[in-house]
Amino acid sequence: MRTDLVPAAEALSIILQGAAPAGEETVAIGEAAGRILSRDLTALRTQPPFPSSAMDGYAVRGADIASVPVKLVLIGESAAGSAFPGSVASGQAVRIFTGAPVPKGADTVVMQENTRAEPGSVTILVTAATGKSVRKAGLDFQRGDTLLSAGFVLDPQRLSLAASMNHASVPVWRKPFVAIASTGSELRLPGAEPGPDQIIASNGFGLAAIVRRSGGEVLDLGIVRDDRSALTAAFTRALERGADLLLTLGGASVGDHDLVLPVLRDLGATFHFSKIALRPGKPLLAGEIVHGGRTVRILGLAGNPVSSLVAGNVFVAPLVAAMAGRNSGRSHPVPAVLGCDLPANDERQDYLRASASRNREGQLEVTPFGVQDSSMLAALVRADVLLVRPAGAGPARAGDPCSVILLREI
Ligand code: AMP
Ligand code: MG
């Protein structure tokens, strides 16, 4: 295990090494929202399967309506789901509705508003170019077209397209199963009456939300005391339940009660590193443990709420997204300008909680809060962005370019 402060970018690439989904499964189209396609999907049919009307109106031959007004004999009706069986000859028209098959012989639909209906006939009042308001067969897609690619999230649009392609079920990646343990003898669940030396466990809820948003499923190990046997029992449960990733909160530092690393080592885990050059959140354990022939990843986050949520965004979200099979998932920093001067930074990459607004030039102007304590959740919620200050950055002036991670739309 490395003992230096690992630079943030290097830590992320070590964490992401070999991260991939554990397998595929098939789910019903009605259950597939938000899942990630594991294979490209090909259309099983052509849409529309026949030339169809884009309007309520009359199906005619374009040549018949070159000069208007012109009276045509009405020979029948074509509605969605019940086509006109015959064909349209010169001088004839068929009443037609949106989505209905355009009858043989007809090549044009005149919208209802441009006609006058009479018993047994219709007078076309406004001409229409041949082909107008007719959707050609295959306008949307052809049978055999590959329209959806592996790695994409089935969002509402893609889900609807998969259904239209006639897939009753779809192949998706298995969701990574992520066990989350909130470690600390001082912790109580929200709603409890904490004792004088206790606090409420908070960040496990935020981390579970990050895991789910990134495509993972959560196994909640709850609160675990800073006690070797309690930790051993909780971690063993995660392994036996088949977790793909064990995420621990708290107890990752070097204090006497920080037992996550030694307990996991006793269970056979190996670690890549335990500290990163990042603020907030210097302690970060990255490792793995083999259980029943399967490699289970381990990420141990600092317990301070802001530290763990920053690590959640910077490390957990991309790792879970990669394990979920998403071809995207990193929150890439976006360019901004500083709203104030900043002193030089030390050797740790800093994620400063900051307010942001658009200046007159439309740039995102960001100003970090004066107090940056890693325990302050209320301040994190007030922040619009995390201002990324690279390790070793020199002093900066108001107006200088910088980069930020957006915490909300601005
Ligand atoms: P640790 O990383 O265990 O040294 O914890 C650092 C600080 O974060 C301590 O003040 C803990 O009480 C606090 N803390 C640890 N875990 C949590 C949690 N799940 N929710 C809120 N605070 C926590
Ligand atoms: Mg602790």
Side-chain angles (χ1 to χ4, degrees), residues 183-187 226 249-252 257-258 303:
T183 77
S185 300
E186 75 281 29
L187 302 176
D226 295 313
L249 305 174
H257 302 283
D258 293 328

Side-chain angles (χ1 to χ4, degrees), residues 182-183 186-187 199-203 250-251 258 302-305:
S182 297
T183 77
E186 75 281 29
L187 302 176
I199 61 163
I200 297 296
S202 58
N203 33 4
D258 293 328
N304 262 316

Side-chain angles (χ1 to χ4, degrees), residues 15-32:
I15 287 168
L16 291 180
Q17 218 148 51
E24 289 176 277
E25 60 191 10
T26 301
V27 296
I29 185 83
E31 303 294 321

